[in-house]
mmCIF file of all heavy atoms in Angstrom:
data_model
loop_
_atom_site.group_PDB
_atom_site.id
_atom_site.type_symbol
_atom_site.label_atom_id
_atom_site.label_comp_id
_atom_site.label_asym_id
_atom_site.label_seq_id
_atom_site.Cartn_x
_atom_site.Cartn_y
_atom_site.Cartn_z
ATOM 1 N N MET A 1 77.133 173.044 118.014
ATOM 2 C CA MET A 1 77.653 172.691 116.685
ATOM 3 C C MET A 1 78.037 173.962 115.942
ATOM 4 O O MET A 1 77.245 174.898 115.843
ATOM 5 C CB MET A 1 76.592 171.910 115.900
ATOM 6 C CG MET A 1 77.076 171.416 114.539
ATOM 7 S SD MET A 1 75.962 170.199 113.779
ATOM 8 C CE MET A 1 74.516 171.196 113.454
ATOM 9 N N THR A 31 80.373 189.453 93.624
ATOM 10 C CA THR A 31 81.357 189.869 94.616
ATOM 11 C C THR A 31 81.254 188.994 95.858
ATOM 12 O O THR A 31 80.339 189.168 96.676
ATOM 13 C CB THR A 31 81.144 191.343 95.016
ATOM 14 O OG1 THR A 31 81.066 192.146 93.841
ATOM 15 C CG2 THR A 31 82.282 191.839 95.886
ATOM 16 N N ASP A 34 80.588 190.539 99.277
ATOM 17 C CA ASP A 34 79.211 190.925 99.613
ATOM 18 C C ASP A 34 78.501 189.794 100.343
ATOM 19 O O ASP A 34 77.758 190.014 101.296
ATOM 20 C CB ASP A 34 78.426 191.289 98.344
ATOM 21 C CG ASP A 34 78.879 192.600 97.728
ATOM 22 O OD1 ASP A 34 79.572 193.380 98.428
ATOM 23 O OD2 ASP A 34 78.540 192.852 96.546
ATOM 24 N N LEU A 47 83.516 181.439 108.630
ATOM 25 C CA LEU A 47 83.195 181.274 107.213
ATOM 26 C C LEU A 47 84.072 180.193 106.578
ATOM 27 O O LEU A 47 85.229 180.020 106.965
ATOM 28 C CB LEU A 47 83.392 182.590 106.450
ATOM 29 C CG LEU A 47 82.482 183.756 106.824
ATOM 30 C CD1 LEU A 47 82.870 184.999 106.030
ATOM 31 C CD2 LEU A 47 81.013 183.418 106.602
ATOM 32 N N VAL A 50 86.206 178.489 99.553
ATOM 33 C CA VAL A 50 86.840 177.530 98.649
ATOM 34 C C VAL A 50 87.236 178.240 97.368
ATOM 35 O O VAL A 50 86.409 178.898 96.717
ATOM 36 C CB VAL A 50 85.894 176.352 98.306
ATOM 37 C CG1 VAL A 50 86.602 175.379 97.360
ATOM 38 C CG2 VAL A 50 85.442 175.628 99.556
ATOM 39 N N SER A 60 96.795 179.308 94.411
ATOM 40 C CA SER A 60 95.736 180.291 94.623
ATOM 41 C C SER A 60 95.426 181.045 93.334
ATOM 42 O O SER A 60 96.332 181.535 92.651
ATOM 43 C CB SER A 60 96.142 181.284 95.718
ATOM 44 O OG SER A 60 95.128 182.241 95.926
ATOM 45 N N LEU A 67 91.236 188.187 99.645
ATOM 46 C CA LEU A 67 91.750 189.340 100.390
ATOM 47 C C LEU A 67 90.644 190.321 100.714
ATOM 48 O O LEU A 67 90.604 190.898 101.816
ATOM 49 C CB LEU A 67 92.850 190.033 99.575
ATOM 50 C CG LEU A 67 94.206 189.331 99.531
ATOM 51 C CD1 LEU A 67 95.135 190.024 98.552
ATOM 52 C CD2 LEU A 67 94.827 189.305 100.925
ATOM 53 N N ILE A 83 95.881 174.646 97.977
ATOM 54 C CA ILE A 83 96.929 174.914 98.976
ATOM 55 C C ILE A 83 97.809 173.672 99.074
ATOM 56 O O ILE A 83 97.437 172.677 99.698
ATOM 57 C CB ILE A 83 96.312 175.254 100.340
ATOM 58 C CG1 ILE A 83 95.320 176.409 100.205
ATOM 59 C CG2 ILE A 83 97.405 175.609 101.345
ATOM 60 C CD1 ILE A 83 94.546 176.729 101.475
ATOM 61 N N ASP A 123 95.509 173.696 115.151
ATOM 62 C CA ASP A 123 94.324 174.525 114.968
ATOM 63 C C ASP A 123 94.371 175.370 113.709
ATOM 64 O O ASP A 123 93.403 176.049 113.373
ATOM 65 C CB ASP A 123 94.103 175.424 116.189
ATOM 66 C CG ASP A 123 93.555 174.640 117.371
ATOM 67 O OD1 ASP A 123 92.795 173.682 117.123
ATOM 68 O OD2 ASP A 123 93.896 174.969 118.518
ATOM 69 N N ARG A 124 95.496 175.338 112.999
ATOM 70 C CA ARG A 124 95.617 176.101 111.759
ATOM 71 C C ARG A 124 95.461 175.235 110.514
ATOM 72 O O ARG A 124 95.232 175.759 109.423
ATOM 73 C CB ARG A 124 96.989 176.789 111.701
ATOM 74 C CG ARG A 124 97.193 177.878 112.743
ATOM 75 C CD ARG A 124 96.302 179.060 112.486
ATOM 76 N NE ARG A 124 96.641 180.197 113.323
ATOM 77 C CZ ARG A 124 95.960 181.335 113.363
ATOM 78 N NH1 ARG A 124 94.883 181.465 112.604
ATOM 79 N NH2 ARG A 124 96.331 182.314 114.146
ATOM 80 N N ASP A 130 87.585 164.590 100.763
ATOM 81 C CA ASP A 130 86.482 164.590 99.801
ATOM 82 C C ASP A 130 86.373 163.193 99.220
ATOM 83 O O ASP A 130 87.365 162.639 98.737
ATOM 84 C CB ASP A 130 86.755 165.593 98.674
ATOM 85 C CG ASP A 130 87.123 166.974 99.207
ATOM 86 O OD1 ASP A 130 86.530 167.374 100.218
ATOM 87 O OD2 ASP A 130 88.005 167.631 98.623
ATOM 88 N N ARG A 143 89.831 163.418 90.157
ATOM 89 C CA ARG A 143 90.412 162.076 90.209
ATOM 90 C C ARG A 143 90.098 161.414 91.539
ATOM 91 O O ARG A 143 90.023 162.090 92.574
ATOM 92 C CB ARG A 143 91.937 162.158 90.038
ATOM 93 C CG ARG A 143 92.399 162.510 88.635
ATOM 94 C CD ARG A 143 93.891 162.809 88.620
ATOM 95 N NE ARG A 143 94.674 161.810 89.346
ATOM 96 C CZ ARG A 143 95.933 162.008 89.749
ATOM 97 N NH1 ARG A 143 96.529 163.149 89.489
ATOM 98 N NH2 ARG A 143 96.591 161.065 90.393
ATOM 99 N N SER A 148 90.843 154.908 101.132
ATOM 100 C CA SER A 148 89.485 155.177 101.594
ATOM 101 C C SER A 148 89.484 156.398 102.507
ATOM 102 O O SER A 148 90.511 156.763 103.100
ATOM 103 C CB SER A 148 88.924 153.980 102.357
ATOM 104 O OG SER A 148 89.533 153.854 103.631
ATOM 105 N N VAL A 150 88.061 156.660 105.381
ATOM 106 C CA VAL A 150 88.321 156.243 106.762
ATOM 107 C C VAL A 150 89.821 156.079 107.002
ATOM 108 O O VAL A 150 90.367 156.589 107.996
ATOM 109 C CB VAL A 150 87.596 154.913 107.087
ATOM 110 C CG1 VAL A 150 88.075 154.369 108.426
ATOM 111 C CG2 VAL A 150 86.095 155.118 107.126
ATOM 112 N N ASP A 151 90.505 155.399 106.103
ATOM 113 C CA ASP A 151 91.947 155.191 106.269
ATOM 114 C C ASP A 151 92.702 156.513 106.236
ATOM 115 O O ASP A 151 93.666 156.716 106.990
ATOM 116 C CB ASP A 151 92.475 154.259 105.176
ATOM 117 C CG ASP A 151 92.040 152.818 105.373
ATOM 118 O OD1 ASP A 151 91.597 152.488 106.495
ATOM 119 O OD2 ASP A 151 92.124 152.022 104.421
ATOM 120 N N LYS A 157 94.932 161.569 111.758
ATOM 121 C CA LYS A 157 94.952 161.599 113.220
ATOM 122 C C LYS A 157 96.346 161.261 113.745
ATOM 123 O O LYS A 157 96.843 161.903 114.681
ATOM 124 C CB LYS A 157 93.915 160.623 113.780
ATOM 125 C CG LYS A 157 93.857 160.607 115.303
ATOM 126 C CD LYS A 157 92.809 159.649 115.817
ATOM 127 C CE LYS A 157 92.745 159.691 117.345
ATOM 128 N NZ LYS A 157 91.696 158.799 117.889
ATOM 129 N N LYS A 171 76.757 164.136 97.246
ATOM 130 C CA LYS A 171 75.722 164.930 97.904
ATOM 131 C C LYS A 171 75.888 166.428 97.651
ATOM 132 O O LYS A 171 74.928 167.193 97.769
ATOM 133 C CB LYS A 171 75.773 164.690 99.419
ATOM 134 C CG LYS A 171 75.481 163.260 99.852
ATOM 135 C CD LYS A 171 73.997 163.000 99.843
ATOM 136 C CE LYS A 171 73.656 161.668 100.491
ATOM 137 N NZ LYS A 171 72.197 161.428 100.526
ATOM 138 N N ILE A 200 73.427 169.353 102.698
ATOM 139 C CA ILE A 200 72.563 169.919 103.735
ATOM 140 C C ILE A 200 71.478 170.778 103.096
ATOM 141 O O ILE A 200 71.778 171.692 102.317
ATOM 142 C CB ILE A 200 73.389 170.722 104.751
ATOM 143 C CG1 ILE A 200 74.316 169.774 105.519
ATOM 144 C CG2 ILE A 200 72.489 171.504 105.707
ATOM 145 C CD1 ILE A 200 75.319 170.463 106.399
ATOM 146 N N SER A 201 70.212 170.474 103.416
ATOM 147 C CA SER A 201 69.104 171.108 102.709
ATOM 148 C C SER A 201 68.110 171.833 103.599
ATOM 149 O O SER A 201 67.345 172.664 103.119
ATOM 150 C CB SER A 201 68.339 170.048 101.907
ATOM 151 O OG SER A 201 67.750 169.097 102.783
ATOM 152 N N LYS A 226 67.711 179.940 100.165
ATOM 153 C CA LYS A 226 66.809 180.340 101.254
ATOM 154 C C LYS A 226 65.991 179.170 101.821
ATOM 155 O O LYS A 226 64.847 179.332 102.240
ATOM 156 C CB LYS A 226 65.880 181.486 100.806
ATOM 157 C CG LYS A 226 66.637 182.758 100.443
ATOM 158 C CD LYS A 226 65.694 183.862 100.026
ATOM 159 C CE LYS A 226 66.412 185.198 99.880
ATOM 160 N NZ LYS A 226 67.551 185.181 98.969
#
Side-chain angles (χ1 to χ4, degrees):
M1 184 167 67
T31 309
D34 289 344
L47 295 177
V50 180
S60 180
L67 285 173
I83 306 174
D123 285 327
R124 293 292 190 185
D130 309 322
R143 288 170 47 197
S148 73
V150 170
D151 288 344
K157 181 179 182 178
K171 297 281 190 178
I200 294 171
S201 64
K226 297 181 171 55

